[in-house]
Amino acid sequence: MSDFTIVENTAVGSGTEIGHFTVIHDSVIGENCRIWRFDNLYGVSIGDDCMIGSLVEIQEDVQIGDRCRVQSHSFVCSFVTLADDVFVSHGAKFVNDLYPPSGNKDEWEETRVQNGAAIGTNATILPVEIGENALVGAGAVVTEDVPENAIVAGNPAEIVGYVDEE
């Protein structure tokens, strides 16, 4: 591991590499992960074989499954769960506070992204559930649940197709 800071209470799995200037505390990081530079992770649980790009913030009470990729400049707020094999593209943002800045954690809502879903660049995800293998288009603003295998795009995001259509 290179120069990084683990403030306290963090377990790092074997084979995990952490880049320079990354702050991690009160977290569990799985095996064989790659955490790039300038990240801020606190109170998060990350599974095995994950990649977290540069300049990412992941807040407390986030659960990330195995083999997930969270690309650079993304923001994953509290109460987000990414199941296994989820892809979050560059600059995607999650929102848990529908009436910001409430500052009242009791009013924040959760988001669940199911296995194999992919979220496009600069998408904004409000508190919803995104189904298995769903695709969220670049720049989409997701305000409602997305069914499994659905492709959504736009603001607000609407279903434009399904990944299993031929």
Side-chain angles (χ1 to χ4, degrees), residues 60-128:
E60 64 186 350
D61 300 316
V62 169
Q63 304 290 317
I64 297 177
D66 295 334
R67 299 171 304 281
C68 292
R69 294 178 62 87
V70 179
Q71 300 292 94
S72 67
H73 299 90
S74 294
F75 174 73
V76 185
C77 62
S78 296
F79 304 135
V80 170
T81 298
L82 305 179
D84 295 338
D85 303 301
V86 170
F87 177 79
V88 177
S89 192
H90 303 275
K93 307 290 188 267
F94 290 82
V95 176
N96 60 12
D97 187 354
L98 293 176
Y99 304 100
S102 76
N104 184 353
K105 194 173 182 179
D106 293 335
E107 294 180 12
W108 296 353
E109 298 180 35
E110 67 180 31
T111 294
R112 294 189 175 279
V113 181
Q114 300 300 339
N115 294 334
I119 297 171
T121 298
N122 289 328
T124 300
I125 312 297
L126 276 67
V128 295

Short mmCIF file of all heavy atoms in Angstrom, two decimals, residues 60-128:
data_model
loop_
_atom_site.label_atom_id
_atom_site.label_comp_id
_atom_site.label_asym_id
_atom_site.label_seq_id
_atom_site.Cartn_x
_atom_site.Cartn_y
_atom_site.Cartn_z
N GLU A 60 -20.88 7.31 5.02
CA GLU A 60 -21.21 6.23 5.95
C GLU A 60 -22.53 5.56 5.58
O GLU A 60 -23.37 6.14 4.90
CB GLU A 60 -21.28 6.76 7.38
CG GLU A 60 -22.38 7.77 7.61
CD GLU A 60 -22.32 8.38 9.00
OE1 GLU A 60 -21.56 7.90 9.85
OE2 GLU A 60 -23.07 9.33 9.22
N ASP A 61 -22.66 4.34 6.04
CA ASP A 61 -23.86 3.53 5.83
C ASP A 61 -24.08 3.17 4.36
O ASP A 61 -25.21 3.00 3.92
CB ASP A 61 -25.12 4.21 6.40
CG ASP A 61 -25.00 4.45 7.89
OD1 ASP A 61 -24.54 3.53 8.59
OD2 ASP A 61 -25.35 5.55 8.35
N VAL A 62 -22.99 3.04 3.60
CA VAL A 62 -23.05 2.57 2.21
C VAL A 62 -22.53 1.14 2.20
O VAL A 62 -21.52 0.82 2.82
CB VAL A 62 -22.22 3.47 1.27
CG1 VAL A 62 -22.06 2.83 -0.09
CG2 VAL A 62 -22.85 4.85 1.15
N GLN A 63 -23.24 0.29 1.47
CA GLN A 63 -22.85 -1.10 1.28
C GLN A 63 -22.56 -1.32 -0.20
O GLN A 63 -23.42 -1.03 -1.04
CB GLN A 63 -23.97 -2.04 1.71
CG GLN A 63 -24.45 -1.85 3.13
CD GLN A 63 -23.42 -2.30 4.14
OE1 GLN A 63 -22.79 -3.35 3.97
NE2 GLN A 63 -23.23 -1.52 5.18
N ILE A 64 -21.37 -1.81 -0.51
CA ILE A 64 -20.99 -2.09 -1.90
C ILE A 64 -20.63 -3.56 -1.99
O ILE A 64 -19.79 -4.06 -1.23
CB ILE A 64 -19.81 -1.20 -2.33
CG1 ILE A 64 -20.24 0.28 -2.29
CG2 ILE A 64 -19.31 -1.60 -3.72
CD1 ILE A 64 -19.14 1.26 -2.63
N GLY A 65 -21.27 -4.26 -2.93
CA GLY A 65 -21.06 -5.70 -3.09
C GLY A 65 -19.74 -6.02 -3.78
O GLY A 65 -18.85 -5.17 -3.92
N ASP A 66 -19.61 -7.23 -4.23
CA ASP A 66 -18.40 -7.70 -4.90
C ASP A 66 -18.37 -7.26 -6.37
O ASP A 66 -19.41 -7.13 -7.01
CB ASP A 66 -18.34 -9.23 -4.86
CG ASP A 66 -18.19 -9.78 -3.45
OD1 ASP A 66 -17.66 -9.07 -2.57
OD2 ASP A 66 -18.62 -10.94 -3.22
N ARG A 67 -17.16 -7.08 -6.87
CA ARG A 67 -16.90 -6.80 -8.29
C ARG A 67 -17.58 -5.53 -8.81
O ARG A 67 -17.96 -5.44 -9.97
CB ARG A 67 -17.27 -8.00 -9.16
CG ARG A 67 -16.48 -9.26 -8.85
CD ARG A 67 -17.01 -10.48 -9.56
NE ARG A 67 -18.43 -10.72 -9.28
CZ ARG A 67 -18.89 -11.29 -8.16
NH1 ARG A 67 -18.06 -11.68 -7.22
NH2 ARG A 67 -20.19 -11.47 -8.01
N CYS A 68 -17.75 -4.55 -7.95
CA CYS A 68 -18.34 -3.27 -8.36
C CYS A 68 -17.25 -2.31 -8.81
O CYS A 68 -16.10 -2.40 -8.36
CB CYS A 68 -19.12 -2.64 -7.21
SG CYS A 68 -20.61 -3.57 -6.77
N ARG A 69 -17.65 -1.39 -9.69
CA ARG A 69 -16.75 -0.33 -10.14
C ARG A 69 -17.45 1.01 -9.93
O ARG A 69 -18.56 1.21 -10.43
CB ARG A 69 -16.40 -0.49 -11.61
CG ARG A 69 -15.57 -1.73 -11.90
CD ARG A 69 -15.27 -1.89 -13.37
NE ARG A 69 -14.47 -0.78 -13.90
CZ ARG A 69 -13.14 -0.72 -13.87
NH1 ARG A 69 -12.46 -1.70 -13.36
NH2 ARG A 69 -12.51 0.31 -14.39
N VAL A 70 -16.80 1.89 -9.19
CA VAL A 70 -17.30 3.25 -9.00
C VAL A 70 -16.24 4.16 -9.61
O VAL A 70 -15.14 4.31 -9.05
CB VAL A 70 -17.54 3.57 -7.51
CG1 VAL A 70 -18.03 5.00 -7.34
CG2 VAL A 70 -18.54 2.58 -6.90
N GLN A 71 -16.55 4.74 -10.75
CA GLN A 71 -15.58 5.52 -11.51
C GLN A 71 -15.33 6.89 -10.89
O GLN A 71 -16.06 7.33 -10.01
CB GLN A 71 -16.06 5.68 -12.95
CG GLN A 71 -16.25 4.36 -13.70
CD GLN A 71 -14.96 3.63 -13.97
OE1 GLN A 71 -14.54 2.77 -13.21
NE2 GLN A 71 -14.32 3.98 -15.06
N SER A 72 -14.32 7.58 -11.38
CA SER A 72 -13.86 8.85 -10.81
C SER A 72 -14.96 9.90 -10.73
O SER A 72 -15.91 9.90 -11.50
CB SER A 72 -12.69 9.39 -11.63
OG SER A 72 -13.12 9.76 -12.92
N HIS A 73 -14.80 10.79 -9.77
CA HIS A 73 -15.66 11.95 -9.54
C HIS A 73 -17.09 11.60 -9.15
O HIS A 73 -17.98 12.43 -9.24
CB HIS A 73 -15.66 12.88 -10.77
CG HIS A 73 -14.31 13.43 -11.09
ND1 HIS A 73 -13.45 12.76 -11.93
CD2 HIS A 73 -13.68 14.53 -10.68
CE1 HIS A 73 -12.33 13.45 -12.03
NE2 HIS A 73 -12.44 14.53 -11.27
N SER A 74 -17.33 10.38 -8.72
CA SER A 74 -18.67 9.98 -8.29
C SER A 74 -18.87 10.30 -6.82
O SER A 74 -17.92 10.40 -6.05
CB SER A 74 -18.89 8.48 -8.52
OG SER A 74 -18.88 8.20 -9.90
N PHE A 75 -20.15 10.44 -6.44
CA PHE A 75 -20.53 10.71 -5.05
C PHE A 75 -21.60 9.70 -4.66
O PHE A 75 -22.66 9.63 -5.28
CB PHE A 75 -21.07 12.13 -4.90
CG PHE A 75 -21.62 12.42 -3.53
CD1 PHE A 75 -20.76 12.58 -2.46
CD2 PHE A 75 -22.97 12.53 -3.33
CE1 PHE A 75 -21.26 12.84 -1.19
CE2 PHE A 75 -23.49 12.79 -2.07
CZ PHE A 75 -22.63 12.95 -0.99
N VAL A 76 -21.29 8.91 -3.63
CA VAL A 76 -22.23 7.91 -3.13
C VAL A 76 -22.57 8.28 -1.69
O VAL A 76 -21.74 8.15 -0.80
CB VAL A 76 -21.64 6.48 -3.21
CG1 VAL A 76 -22.68 5.46 -2.79
CG2 VAL A 76 -21.11 6.18 -4.62
N CYS A 77 -23.80 8.79 -1.51
CA CYS A 77 -24.20 9.28 -0.19
C CYS A 77 -24.67 8.14 0.71
O CYS A 77 -24.87 7.01 0.27
CB CYS A 77 -25.29 10.33 -0.34
SG CYS A 77 -26.79 9.69 -1.10
N SER A 78 -24.88 8.47 1.96
CA SER A 78 -25.38 7.51 2.94
C SER A 78 -26.66 6.84 2.46
O SER A 78 -27.46 7.45 1.75
CB SER A 78 -25.65 8.22 4.27
OG SER A 78 -24.47 8.74 4.82
N PHE A 79 -26.84 5.60 2.89
CA PHE A 79 -28.04 4.80 2.63
C PHE A 79 -28.15 4.29 1.20
O PHE A 79 -29.24 4.02 0.71
CB PHE A 79 -29.32 5.52 3.03
CG PHE A 79 -29.34 5.97 4.47
CD1 PHE A 79 -29.77 7.23 4.81
CD2 PHE A 79 -28.91 5.13 5.49
CE1 PHE A 79 -29.78 7.66 6.12
CE2 PHE A 79 -28.92 5.54 6.81
CZ PHE A 79 -29.37 6.81 7.12
N VAL A 80 -27.01 4.16 0.52
CA VAL A 80 -26.99 3.55 -0.81
C VAL A 80 -26.43 2.14 -0.67
O VAL A 80 -25.43 1.92 0.02
CB VAL A 80 -26.14 4.37 -1.80
CG1 VAL A 80 -25.92 3.61 -3.11
CG2 VAL A 80 -26.78 5.73 -2.06
N THR A 81 -27.09 1.20 -1.34
CA THR A 81 -26.60 -0.17 -1.41
C THR A 81 -26.39 -0.52 -2.88
O THR A 81 -27.32 -0.39 -3.68
CB THR A 81 -27.60 -1.16 -0.78
OG1 THR A 81 -27.76 -0.83 0.60
CG2 THR A 81 -27.10 -2.60 -0.91
N LEU A 82 -25.17 -0.91 -3.22
CA LEU A 82 -24.86 -1.42 -4.55
C LEU A 82 -24.67 -2.93 -4.40
O LEU A 82 -23.78 -3.36 -3.66
CB LEU A 82 -23.58 -0.79 -5.10
CG LEU A 82 -23.50 0.74 -5.15
CD1 LEU A 82 -22.15 1.18 -5.72
CD2 LEU A 82 -24.65 1.32 -5.95
N ALA A 83 -25.48 -3.71 -5.07
CA ALA A 83 -25.35 -5.17 -5.01
C ALA A 83 -24.09 -5.58 -5.80
O ALA A 83 -23.25 -4.73 -6.13
CB ALA A 83 -26.60 -5.84 -5.57
N ASP A 84 -23.95 -6.83 -6.14
CA ASP A 84 -22.77 -7.30 -6.86
C ASP A 84 -22.77 -6.86 -8.32
O ASP A 84 -23.83 -6.71 -8.94
CB ASP A 84 -22.71 -8.83 -6.82
CG ASP A 84 -22.52 -9.38 -5.41
OD1 ASP A 84 -22.03 -8.64 -4.53
OD2 ASP A 84 -22.88 -10.56 -5.19
N ASP A 85 -21.57 -6.67 -8.86
CA ASP A 85 -21.36 -6.41 -10.29
C ASP A 85 -22.03 -5.13 -10.79
O ASP A 85 -22.44 -5.04 -11.95
CB ASP A 85 -21.84 -7.61 -11.13
CG ASP A 85 -21.13 -8.89 -10.73
OD1 ASP A 85 -19.88 -8.92 -10.81
OD2 ASP A 85 -21.81 -9.85 -10.30
N VAL A 86 -22.14 -4.13 -9.94
CA VAL A 86 -22.72 -2.84 -10.33
C VAL A 86 -21.62 -1.94 -10.88
O VAL A 86 -20.50 -1.90 -10.35
CB VAL A 86 -23.42 -2.17 -9.13
CG1 VAL A 86 -23.82 -0.73 -9.44
CG2 VAL A 86 -24.64 -2.99 -8.71
N PHE A 87 -21.95 -1.22 -11.95
CA PHE A 87 -21.03 -0.26 -12.55
C PHE A 87 -21.62 1.14 -12.39
O PHE A 87 -22.75 1.40 -12.80
CB PHE A 87 -20.84 -0.56 -14.04
CG PHE A 87 -19.96 0.42 -14.75
CD1 PHE A 87 -18.59 0.35 -14.64
CD2 PHE A 87 -20.51 1.44 -15.51
CE1 PHE A 87 -17.77 1.27 -15.28
CE2 PHE A 87 -19.71 2.36 -16.16
CZ PHE A 87 -18.32 2.27 -16.04
N VAL A 88 -20.83 2.04 -11.79
CA VAL A 88 -21.22 3.44 -11.63
C VAL A 88 -20.21 4.26 -12.41
O VAL A 88 -19.03 4.30 -12.07
CB VAL A 88 -21.22 3.85 -10.13
CG1 VAL A 88 -21.55 5.33 -9.98
CG2 VAL A 88 -22.20 2.98 -9.34
N SER A 89 -20.66 4.92 -13.46
CA SER A 89 -19.75 5.64 -14.35
C SER A 89 -19.32 6.99 -13.76
O SER A 89 -19.82 7.43 -12.73
CB SER A 89 -20.41 5.83 -15.72
OG SER A 89 -19.46 6.27 -16.67
N HIS A 90 -18.43 7.64 -14.46
CA HIS A 90 -17.81 8.89 -14.03
C HIS A 90 -18.85 9.95 -13.68
O HIS A 90 -19.80 10.18 -14.43
CB HIS A 90 -16.91 9.44 -15.13
CG HIS A 90 -15.84 8.47 -15.54
ND1 HIS A 90 -14.65 8.36 -14.88
CD2 HIS A 90 -15.82 7.54 -16.52
CE1 HIS A 90 -13.92 7.41 -15.44
NE2 HIS A 90 -14.61 6.90 -16.43
N GLY A 91 -18.66 10.59 -12.54
CA GLY A 91 -19.47 11.74 -12.17
C GLY A 91 -20.89 11.44 -11.76
O GLY A 91 -21.69 12.36 -11.57
N ALA A 92 -21.26 10.19 -11.59
CA ALA A 92 -22.62 9.87 -11.15
C ALA A 92 -22.78 10.31 -9.70
O ALA A 92 -21.84 10.26 -8.90
CB ALA A 92 -22.89 8.38 -11.29
N LYS A 93 -23.99 10.76 -9.38
CA LYS A 93 -24.28 11.26 -8.03
C LYS A 93 -25.53 10.61 -7.49
O LYS A 93 -26.53 10.45 -8.19
CB LYS A 93 -24.50 12.78 -8.05
CG LYS A 93 -23.40 13.59 -8.71
CD LYS A 93 -22.13 13.60 -7.92
CE LYS A 93 -21.10 14.55 -8.47
NZ LYS A 93 -20.16 13.96 -9.40
N PHE A 94 -25.49 10.25 -6.22
CA PHE A 94 -26.66 9.72 -5.52
C PHE A 94 -27.16 10.78 -4.55
O PHE A 94 -26.37 11.55 -3.99
CB PHE A 94 -26.29 8.45 -4.75
CG PHE A 94 -25.99 7.28 -5.65
CD1 PHE A 94 -24.74 7.13 -6.24
CD2 PHE A 94 -26.96 6.33 -5.91
CE1 PHE A 94 -24.46 6.05 -7.06
CE2 PHE A 94 -26.69 5.25 -6.74
CZ PHE A 94 -25.45 5.11 -7.31
N VAL A 95 -28.48 10.81 -4.34
CA VAL A 95 -29.11 11.80 -3.46
C VAL A 95 -29.94 11.04 -2.44
O VAL A 95 -30.69 10.13 -2.80
CB VAL A 95 -30.03 12.74 -4.28
CG1 VAL A 95 -30.78 13.70 -3.37
CG2 VAL A 95 -29.24 13.48 -5.34
N ASN A 96 -29.84 11.40 -1.17
CA ASN A 96 -30.67 10.75 -0.14
C ASN A 96 -31.60 11.73 0.55
O ASN A 96 -32.47 11.35 1.29
CB ASN A 96 -29.81 10.02 0.89
CG ASN A 96 -28.86 10.94 1.63
OD1 ASN A 96 -28.95 12.16 1.55
ND2 ASN A 96 -27.91 10.35 2.34
N ASP A 97 -31.42 13.01 0.32
CA ASP A 97 -32.19 14.06 0.99
C ASP A 97 -33.04 14.77 -0.06
O ASP A 97 -32.52 15.55 -0.86
CB ASP A 97 -31.21 15.03 1.66
CG ASP A 97 -31.90 16.06 2.53
OD1 ASP A 97 -33.15 16.11 2.55
OD2 ASP A 97 -31.18 16.83 3.20
N LEU A 98 -34.33 14.49 -0.08
CA LEU A 98 -35.21 15.06 -1.10
C LEU A 98 -35.50 16.54 -0.89
O LEU A 98 -35.98 17.21 -1.79
CB LEU A 98 -36.51 14.28 -1.17
CG LEU A 98 -36.37 12.86 -1.69
CD1 LEU A 98 -37.69 12.13 -1.64
CD2 LEU A 98 -35.80 12.85 -3.10
N TYR A 99 -35.24 17.05 0.32
CA TYR A 99 -35.51 18.46 0.61
C TYR A 99 -34.28 19.09 1.25
O TYR A 99 -34.31 19.53 2.39
CB TYR A 99 -36.73 18.58 1.53
CG TYR A 99 -37.93 17.90 0.94
CD1 TYR A 99 -38.32 16.63 1.35
CD2 TYR A 99 -38.64 18.51 -0.08
CE1 TYR A 99 -39.41 15.98 0.77
CE2 TYR A 99 -39.74 17.88 -0.67
CZ TYR A 99 -40.11 16.62 -0.24
OH TYR A 99 -41.18 15.99 -0.82
N PRO A 100 -33.18 19.15 0.49
CA PRO A 100 -31.93 19.63 1.09
C PRO A 100 -32.00 21.11 1.39
O PRO A 100 -32.74 21.83 0.75
CB PRO A 100 -30.89 19.33 0.01
CG PRO A 100 -31.64 19.24 -1.26
CD PRO A 100 -33.03 18.79 -0.91
N PRO A 101 -31.20 21.56 2.30
CA PRO A 101 -30.40 20.71 3.20
C PRO A 101 -31.14 20.48 4.50
O PRO A 101 -31.08 21.32 5.40
CB PRO A 101 -29.15 21.54 3.41
CG PRO A 101 -29.64 22.97 3.36
CD PRO A 101 -30.82 22.97 2.42
N SER A 102 -31.84 19.40 4.61
CA SER A 102 -32.60 19.14 5.83
C SER A 102 -31.64 18.90 7.00
O SER A 102 -31.92 19.30 8.12
CB SER A 102 -33.52 17.94 5.67
OG SER A 102 -32.80 16.73 5.72
N GLY A 103 -30.52 18.20 6.72
CA GLY A 103 -29.58 17.90 7.79
C GLY A 103 -30.12 16.89 8.78
O GLY A 103 -29.44 16.53 9.73
N ASN A 104 -31.34 16.45 8.57
CA ASN A 104 -31.96 15.50 9.47
C ASN A 104 -31.86 14.09 8.88
O ASN A 104 -32.63 13.72 8.00
CB ASN A 104 -33.43 15.87 9.70
CG ASN A 104 -34.10 14.96 10.71
OD1 ASN A 104 -33.52 13.96 11.15
ND2 ASN A 104 -35.32 15.30 11.07
N LYS A 105 -30.92 13.33 9.39
CA LYS A 105 -30.65 11.99 8.87
C LYS A 105 -31.89 11.09 8.93
O LYS A 105 -32.04 10.19 8.12
CB LYS A 105 -29.48 11.38 9.66
CG LYS A 105 -28.87 10.17 9.05
CD LYS A 105 -27.61 9.76 9.81
CE LYS A 105 -26.94 8.58 9.19
NZ LYS A 105 -25.73 8.18 9.88
N ASP A 106 -32.80 11.35 9.87
CA ASP A 106 -34.02 10.56 9.97
C ASP A 106 -34.93 10.74 8.76
O ASP A 106 -35.81 9.92 8.51
CB ASP A 106 -34.79 10.92 11.24
CG ASP A 106 -34.04 10.51 12.51
OD1 ASP A 106 -33.22 9.56 12.43
OD2 ASP A 106 -34.27 11.13 13.55
N GLU A 107 -34.77 11.81 8.01
CA GLU A 107 -35.60 12.08 6.84
C GLU A 107 -34.95 11.59 5.54
O GLU A 107 -35.59 11.62 4.50
CB GLU A 107 -35.90 13.58 6.73
CG GLU A 107 -36.77 14.08 7.87
CD GLU A 107 -37.06 15.56 7.77
OE1 GLU A 107 -36.80 16.17 6.71
OE2 GLU A 107 -37.57 16.11 8.77
N TRP A 108 -33.70 11.18 5.60
CA TRP A 108 -33.02 10.70 4.41
C TRP A 108 -33.60 9.36 3.99
O TRP A 108 -34.07 8.58 4.81
CB TRP A 108 -31.53 10.57 4.65
CG TRP A 108 -30.84 11.87 4.93
CD1 TRP A 108 -31.37 13.13 4.85
CD2 TRP A 108 -29.51 12.04 5.36
NE1 TRP A 108 -30.44 14.07 5.20
CE2 TRP A 108 -29.28 13.42 5.52
CE3 TRP A 108 -28.47 11.16 5.62
CZ2 TRP A 108 -28.05 13.95 5.92
CZ3 TRP A 108 -27.24 11.67 6.03
CH2 TRP A 108 -27.04 13.05 6.17
N GLU A 109 -33.55 9.08 2.68
CA GLU A 109 -34.11 7.85 2.14
C GLU A 109 -33.03 7.02 1.48
O GLU A 109 -31.98 7.53 1.09
CB GLU A 109 -35.22 8.19 1.15
CG GLU A 109 -36.38 8.94 1.82
CD GLU A 109 -37.48 9.27 0.85
OE1 GLU A 109 -37.74 8.46 -0.06
OE2 GLU A 109 -38.08 10.36 0.98
N GLU A 110 -33.31 5.73 1.30
CA GLU A 110 -32.29 4.82 0.77
C GLU A 110 -32.47 4.56 -0.72
O GLU A 110 -33.56 4.73 -1.27
CB GLU A 110 -32.28 3.50 1.54
CG GLU A 110 -33.51 2.66 1.36
CD GLU A 110 -33.43 1.36 2.16
OE1 GLU A 110 -32.79 1.34 3.22
OE2 GLU A 110 -34.02 0.37 1.69
N THR A 111 -31.37 4.15 -1.33
CA THR A 111 -31.35 3.73 -2.73
C THR A 111 -30.74 2.34 -2.78
O THR A 111 -29.74 2.07 -2.11
CB THR A 111 -30.51 4.69 -3.58
OG1 THR A 111 -31.16 5.97 -3.60
CG2 THR A 111 -30.32 4.19 -4.99
N ARG A 112 -31.33 1.49 -3.62
CA ARG A 112 -30.81 0.14 -3.83
C ARG A 112 -30.58 -0.07 -5.32
O ARG A 112 -31.49 0.17 -6.12
CB ARG A 112 -31.76 -0.92 -3.29
CG ARG A 112 -31.92 -0.87 -1.80
CD ARG A 112 -32.70 -2.08 -1.28
NE ARG A 112 -32.74 -2.08 0.16
CZ ARG A 112 -31.76 -2.52 0.95
NH1 ARG A 112 -30.67 -3.01 0.42
NH2 ARG A 112 -31.88 -2.49 2.26
N VAL A 113 -29.38 -0.50 -5.65
CA VAL A 113 -29.03 -0.81 -7.04
C VAL A 113 -28.74 -2.31 -7.08
O VAL A 113 -27.81 -2.78 -6.42
CB VAL A 113 -27.82 0.02 -7.52
CG1 VAL A 113 -27.50 -0.30 -8.97
CG2 VAL A 113 -28.08 1.51 -7.33
N GLN A 114 -29.53 -3.04 -7.85
CA GLN A 114 -29.46 -4.50 -7.84
C GLN A 114 -28.34 -5.03 -8.75
O GLN A 114 -27.75 -4.29 -9.53
CB GLN A 114 -30.82 -5.08 -8.25
CG GLN A 114 -31.95 -4.67 -7.32
CD GLN A 114 -31.76 -5.10 -5.87
OE1 GLN A 114 -30.99 -6.01 -5.56
NE2 GLN A 114 -32.43 -4.41 -4.95
N ASN A 115 -28.08 -6.33 -8.65
CA ASN A 115 -26.99 -7.00 -9.35
C ASN A 115 -26.92 -6.64 -10.84
O ASN A 115 -27.94 -6.67 -11.54
CB ASN A 115 -27.13 -8.52 -9.26
CG ASN A 115 -26.97 -9.04 -7.85
OD1 ASN A 115 -26.31 -8.43 -7.02
ND2 ASN A 115 -27.58 -10.17 -7.57
N GLY A 116 -25.72 -6.31 -11.29
CA GLY A 116 -25.46 -6.13 -12.70
C GLY A 116 -25.96 -4.84 -13.32
O GLY A 116 -25.83 -4.64 -14.52
N ALA A 117 -26.53 -3.95 -12.53
CA ALA A 117 -27.03 -2.69 -13.07
C ALA A 117 -25.85 -1.78 -13.42
O ALA A 117 -24.77 -1.88 -12.84
CB ALA A 117 -27.96 -2.00 -12.09
N ALA A 118 -26.08 -0.88 -14.39
CA ALA A 118 -25.04 0.08 -14.79
C ALA A 118 -25.64 1.47 -14.81
O ALA A 118 -26.75 1.68 -15.31
CB ALA A 118 -24.49 -0.28 -16.17
N ILE A 119 -24.89 2.43 -14.28
CA ILE A 119 -25.33 3.81 -14.18
C ILE A 119 -24.38 4.66 -15.01
O ILE A 119 -23.17 4.64 -14.80
CB ILE A 119 -25.35 4.26 -12.71
CG1 ILE A 119 -26.38 3.40 -11.96
CG2 ILE A 119 -25.66 5.74 -12.59
CD1 ILE A 119 -26.37 3.57 -10.47
N GLY A 120 -24.93 5.43 -15.94
CA GLY A 120 -24.14 6.21 -16.88
C GLY A 120 -23.50 7.46 -16.29
O GLY A 120 -23.85 7.93 -15.20
N THR A 121 -22.58 8.01 -17.07
CA THR A 121 -21.85 9.22 -16.69
C THR A 121 -22.79 10.36 -16.34
O THR A 121 -23.76 10.62 -17.06
CB THR A 121 -20.92 9.63 -17.85
OG1 THR A 121 -19.98 8.58 -18.06
CG2 THR A 121 -20.19 10.92 -17.56
N ASN A 122 -22.50 11.02 -15.23
CA ASN A 122 -23.24 12.20 -14.77
C ASN A 122 -24.71 11.95 -14.49
O ASN A 122 -25.49 12.91 -14.42
CB ASN A 122 -23.07 13.38 -15.73
CG ASN A 122 -21.68 13.95 -15.67
OD1 ASN A 122 -21.04 13.93 -14.62
ND2 ASN A 122 -21.19 14.43 -16.79
N ALA A 123 -25.12 10.72 -14.30
CA ALA A 123 -26.49 10.44 -13.89
C ALA A 123 -26.69 10.90 -12.45
O ALA A 123 -25.76 10.90 -11.65
CB ALA A 123 -26.80 8.95 -14.02
N THR A 124 -27.92 11.28 -12.14
CA THR A 124 -28.31 11.64 -10.78
C THR A 124 -29.38 10.66 -10.34
O THR A 124 -30.39 10.49 -11.01
CB THR A 124 -28.85 13.08 -10.72
OG1 THR A 124 -27.84 13.98 -11.18
CG2 THR A 124 -29.25 13.45 -9.30
N ILE A 125 -29.13 10.01 -9.20
CA ILE A 125 -30.02 8.96 -8.73
C ILE A 125 -30.64 9.40 -7.40
O ILE A 125 -29.95 9.53 -6.40
CB ILE A 125 -29.26 7.63 -8.52
CG1 ILE A 125 -28.37 7.28 -9.72
CG2 ILE A 125 -30.22 6.52 -8.15
CD1 ILE A 125 -29.10 7.04 -11.01
N LEU A 126 -31.95 9.67 -7.42
CA LEU A 126 -32.68 9.98 -6.20
C LEU A 126 -33.00 8.68 -5.47
O LEU A 126 -32.70 7.60 -5.99
CB LEU A 126 -33.94 10.78 -6.52
CG LEU A 126 -33.70 12.29 -6.68
CD1 LEU A 126 -32.86 12.61 -7.89
CD2 LEU A 126 -35.01 13.04 -6.73
N PRO A 127 -33.62 8.71 -4.29
CA PRO A 127 -33.91 7.48 -3.55
C PRO A 127 -34.90 6.59 -4.33
O PRO A 127 -36.09 6.89 -4.41
CB PRO A 127 -34.53 7.98 -2.25
CG PRO A 127 -34.00 9.36 -2.09
CD PRO A 127 -33.92 9.89 -3.48
N VAL A 128 -34.37 5.53 -4.92
CA VAL A 128 -35.15 4.61 -5.75
C VAL A 128 -34.55 3.22 -5.63
O VAL A 128 -33.51 3.03 -5.00
CB VAL A 128 -35.12 5.02 -7.25
CG1 VAL A 128 -35.80 6.37 -7.46
CG2 VAL A 128 -33.70 5.04 -7.79
#
